[in-house]
Amino acid sequence: MAVDPKICVWSDLTTEHLDVIFSASTNENLLSVLADICKIEDSEDVKNQILLEFYFHTIQFAKSKGMNYAQTSSLFTIMKLVHTMCTSTPYNNNKAAFTYFKQLLVKHSLQRPPYSVGVFDVSQVQAITDYALNTYFRHFDMYKYAFTPKVRVDISFHYDGVPDTPEPVVAPEEVQPVVEQEVIEADAVEEEDPAPEPESEEMRQLRDMIQVAMGAELKQLQSRLEKLINDQDTKISRQVEALEESIGLKSGAKSPGGKKRK
């Protein structure tokens, strides 16, 4: 589902938040500040730990590039929105998420109010794109696996012409009357249970046919699932390569300055 990009300066981090963030003296202090700002209470939860690390490294990148408050606030919300799109579905949406990421960058790199604002310059846009590709989008599947519900498939078989197996009938327990000791002693010989009826040839053939058919169906299903997984991995690899090539990250591609990227 397509999502319209929006201007997100000061959406999550205000100047008051950034005063505290930029004054944090240690990594532990910064993680604690981010947990308070983002209202992440259970720090022992694995998902919360991954999310905090994601926010932490985003802030550290902004600091390393000397970004001001408005740029840091915009970058933080852009990456947060991309993560929200990634985790909105358990199915692959790598291409849609990267397109949304580029639209958000454009929204914050051109001064055309009220449609866009010039928060980032060209060099910052390239640096942010490189950072996102080398961190978040490189581990896109990991974030999706950690934050989206798993899809479970329940399989049942129905064969035309074969009657459904009836539900087993449980016979009610017989209530034995209370008798006197003399009657029990006189009737001490118990009747033997009747021997179970032998299975008919038709039922045996039907059971064997069902077992053979189920075995073949399961093998075919396993083969199709393995092929689907392999095709999906190949598709994702091709998409990532195409995305990197589209923004000039392939080996030998030139940066805007004319020099080859290492």
Side-chain angles (χ1 to χ4, degrees):
M1 182 177 65
V3 180
D4 293 331
K6 63 178 182 179
I7 297 175
C8 51
V9 186
W10 316 121
S11 295
D12 294 293
L13 299 182
T14 64
T15 54
E16 291 78 8
H17 292 150
L18 290 164
D19 282 336
V20 180
I21 288 173
F22 276 80
S23 63
S25 57
T26 64
N27 293 343
E28 291 75 12
N29 190 9
L30 178 56
L31 286 170
S32 177
V33 169
L34 289 173
D36 291 338
I37 293 174
C38 300
K39 296 180 174 56
I40 300 176
E41 298 178 356
D42 185 7
S43 60
E44 299 298 325
D45 182 74
V46 175
K47 290 183 181 181
N48 289 341
Q49 291 178 358
I50 296 174
L51 196 60
L52 269 179
E53 287 290 328
F54 169 59
Y55 292 156
F56 171 81
H57 288 293
T58 301
I59 295 297
Q60 291 292 77
F61 170 76
K63 286 183 176 181
S64 69
K65 296 300 179 181
M67 294 185 182
N68 58 33
Y69 280 14
Q71 293 167 345
T72 302
S73 176
S74 300
L75 174 63
F76 183 89
T77 302
I78 287 173
M79 297 303 296
K80 182 179 178 181
L81 290 173
V82 171
H83 176 70
T84 301
M85 172 175 275
C86 167
T87 58
S88 64
T89 172
Y91 301 104
N92 179 45
N93 61 344
N94 187 308
K95 185 175 180 180
F98 188 71
T99 299
Y100 182 51
F101 166 75
K102 291 189 294 184
Q103 291 173 342
L104 285 169
L105 275 185
V106 172
K107 202 78 170 176
H108 294 80
S109 59
L110 297 175
Q111 187 63 24
R112 294 190 306 168
Y115 306 104
S116 61
V117 292
V119 177
F120 303 115
D121 58 33
V122 175
S123 62
Q124 288 175 326
V125 169
Q126 184 64 49
I128 292 170
T129 303
D130 292 343
Y131 169 76
L133 280 174
N134 291 325
T135 56
Y136 191 83
F137 286 99
R138 176 170 291 181
H139 303 98
F140 191 86
D141 291 340
M142 182 202 73
Y143 286 106
K144 184 173 289 293
Y145 178 82
F147 287 91
T148 57
K150 309 301 178 292
V151 178
R152 178 179 177 179
V153 180
D154 293 327
I155 302 172
S156 61
F157 296 95
H158 176 74
Y159 300 94
D160 294 336
V162 179
D164 295 335
T165 303
E167 295 291 334
V169 178
V170 179
E173 296 183 359
E174 296 181 358
V175 179
Q176 296 181 354
V178 179
V179 296
E180 296 182 357
Q181 184 68 22
E182 293 79 1
V183 178
I184 295 177
E185 292 177 355
D187 196 14
V189 179
E190 297 180 356
E191 296 182 359
E192 296 183 356
D193 293 335
E197 295 182 2
E199 185 179 19
S200 65
E201 182 65 20
E202 291 79 4
M203 290 300 298
R204 186 184 64 80
Q205 292 178 358
L206 178 60
R207 176 169 52 80
D208 294 341
M209 181 182 66
I210 293 175
Q211 290 179 348
V212 172
M214 288 184 64
E217 287 286 344
L218 288 175
K219 288 182 180 179
Q220 292 179 6
L221 179 60
Q222 182 179 5
S223 177
R224 288 198 298 267
L225 288 176
E226 291 177 353
K227 184 178 182 302
L228 179 62
I229 292 172
N230 292 332
D231 291 345
Q232 191 73 3
D233 290 341
T234 302
K235 181 180 178 182
I236 291 173
S237 299
R238 290 176 179 174
Q239 287 178 350
V240 173
E241 291 177 359
L243 292 174
E244 292 179 347
E245 185 176 3
S246 67
I247 61 170
L249 291 184
K250 282 290 186 179
S251 59
K254 292 186 177 181
S255 64
K259 295 183 180 180
K260 289 187 176 181
R261 299 176 59 82
K262 295 183 179 179

